[in-house]
Structures are given as C-alpha cells and as structure tokens.
Amino acid sequence: MSSESLNSPIPPSTGENITQKSLLIFDLDGTLIDSVPDLADAVNAMLTALGKANFSEDVIRNWVGNGGKVLVQRALSGSQTIDPNLTEDDTNQALALFFDYYHQNTCVRTQPYAGVGEGLRQLKEQGYTLAIATNKPIDFVPAIVEKLGWQALFAYILGGDSLPAKKPDPMPLLHVCDKLGFSIAQSYMIGDSKNDILAGQNAGMDTLGLSYGYNYGQDIRDYHPTQTFDDFATLTEFLSHARV
C-alpha cells in the first residue's frame, strides 16, 4: 500500500463522542500481555552465551518497549542509556542470539493481564473491530495470539517491522485504519507507553492509556491520553457503556 493512500492526520476529538468509535487498535506487550518474563529469559540467555553478567527481571522490565534491537543494546550496555561505543557487529551478534532463544520460547511465561481475555471477547461481541499494532517483530506475534486463543478476535495484526516506520510514527495506525476501512475519528489507539500515545496523537487519533504496563517508570498520564485506566476491566466498562 502506498503512503498516498493513507488517511491524513486530523485533530483528535475531545473524547465526548465515543459512540462513534468502532475500531480499537491495541498495543500488545504491556497492554494485553506481560511478556517480560520470556523477554528477560531470552536476554539473560544471550548474555550468558556472551560470557556477560545477567540482570534481574525487574531491571530488564525497564528496558522493554522500543523493540528487540534497543532491548539488546540496553542489555549489552547494562543501562537504559545505550553505550555509544557499542558496535553494530556487537549488536548484531547479540541480537541473533537473543532472537534464536526467544523464537524457541516466545510464550512460555508470557501471560495476559487480568481481565484482558474476557474484556477482548466482550468488546468483540459488542461489535467493535479489534486490531493490534505492536512494535514487536511480526514473526513473534502469531505464536502468542494462537497460544492465548485470540486468533478469532483480531481483524488485523501489524508488527513493528511490517512497515517502514513503527510507533511513535503514526504510519502503523493510519495503515490499520486504511486497511480496515475506518476513519481516524472512528478509532482509538490503546496502549501503555509513550510510543502508543504519541503515535495516536501524531495520527490525530483519540488515545486510551493503561497505567500498568511498560513506560520506563513514567506515568502514562504525563503524555495526556484522552482517557487513562488503571486496569483492563475499567477500560472494558468504559468502552462497553458507549455501546449501550
């Protein structure tokens, strides 16, 4: 699909007219699922193979959210801030080890957050169209969706490498709207991190923030989503009331 066919950004609405919303675009990691346990295992397996010290799951949790390459670079740097002396060869060698392990253990300890499975099914039954726009490489996403039994719930799934740009660029959200035939005004971007909220804002789309996910220790409210929720059940209730 050419970029010319994508919808042009428009100013977001105030959030008052939620009855017009029909398309829900969800982030994946940190929004629908807690994948950090498996990501942490893959990071530490990579570090062990390289003869480097491992890190706790809590430390690695703060490095997640900008894709596999950045996660690996942070692990090699031992910090949220990437070591400027890290070479491309170092990164690529480590990334290959990380992806090899994660391919074999993509959804071992990954779990949906409380209320997500039930909430997604309820929203689907109420007539919403559901989609995923994640920065996770697309190769890993189908195995997770299948293991969790969510194949029938989503009309479209987009990975971080499916297009030339990923969130916070608006391209993935505009592409999903175009692919499924919805306007920006009919859509919500729903996520846990600044990348999700900024992508929605850059597209002129209303955003729903979730406070429990991966946002580098920052309050998602600092990025001014249209609405913010502390759990998925409350989000589901909010969206369900719009269908009554």
Side-chain angles (χ1 to χ4, degrees):
M1 178 179 298
S2 66
S3 59
E4 289 80 13
S5 67
L6 299 177
N7 296 307
S8 299
I10 59 173
S13 74
T14 62
E16 296 173 355
N17 234 345
I18 61 175
T19 52
Q20 68 180 322
K21 303 298 185 185
S22 297
L23 174 61
L24 306 179
I25 306 174
F26 291 94
D27 176 50
L28 183 61
D29 300 70
T31 297
L32 302 181
I33 61 170
D34 183 7
S35 56
V36 166
D38 286 328
L39 291 170
D41 286 347
V43 164
N44 283 327
M46 170 202 76
L47 292 171
T48 297
L50 294 172
K52 296 180 178 292
N54 287 197
F55 294 94
S56 71
E57 188 175 300
D58 287 341
V59 169
I60 295 171
R61 184 173 292 274
N62 289 321
W63 297 342
V64 172
N66 293 103
K69 182 176 181 179
V70 173
L71 172 58
V72 164
Q73 289 175 322
R74 287 170 174 162
L76 293 175
S77 305
S79 170
Q80 177 83 12
T81 303
I82 297 169
D83 184 348
N85 296 315
L86 196 62
T87 69
E88 196 69 18
D89 285 345
D90 290 338
T91 297
N92 289 338
Q93 178 190 12
L95 195 60
L97 292 169
F98 169 79
F99 279 149
D100 183 61
Y101 185 89
Y102 192 52
H103 263 298
Q104 300 174 56
N105 302 275
T106 303
C107 196
V108 176
R109 297 202 291 141
T110 292
Q111 294 291 332
Y113 287 104
V116 168
E118 302 91 327
L120 291 174
R121 290 182 178 88
Q122 181 177 329
L123 295 170
K124 176 79 170 177
E125 289 170 1
Q126 289 174 333
Y128 284 106
T129 297
L130 313 183
I132 290 175
T134 175
N135 279 353
K136 182 188 287 292
I138 192 62
D139 281 354
F140 299 105
V141 181
I144 295 172
V145 171
E146 182 177 352
K147 182 162 184 182
L148 297 176
W150 293 349
Q151 306 97 307
L153 297 179
F154 295 101
Y156 197 66
I157 297 175
L158 203 64
D161 53 354
S162 297
L163 299 173
K166 60 186 178 182
K167 300 174 298 181
D169 193 285
M171 182 183 288
L173 309 191
L174 301 176
H175 180 86
V176 172
C177 287
D178 187 74
K179 190 75 174 179
L180 295 178
F182 292 96
S183 69
I184 294 169
Q186 291 175 300
S187 310
Y188 272 129
M189 176 64 216
I190 303 170
D192 65 297
S193 82
K194 62 183 182 181
N195 290 329
D196 304 313
I197 304 307
L198 292 174
Q201 292 168 347
N202 289 336
M205 185 180 293
D206 283 331
T207 58
L208 302 180
L210 292 163
S211 65
Y212 53 73
Y214 318 145
N215 196 35
Y216 324 107
Q218 295 178 281
D219 189 336
I220 195 66
R221 293 172 177 84
D222 293 344
Y223 292 89
H224 309 295
T226 310
Q227 301 277 349
T228 306
F229 305 91
D230 294 324
D231 57 71
F232 203 86
T234 308
L235 167 72
T236 302
E237 182 181 6
F238 169 80
L239 292 169
S240 295
H241 284 165
R243 286 305 209 208
V244 174

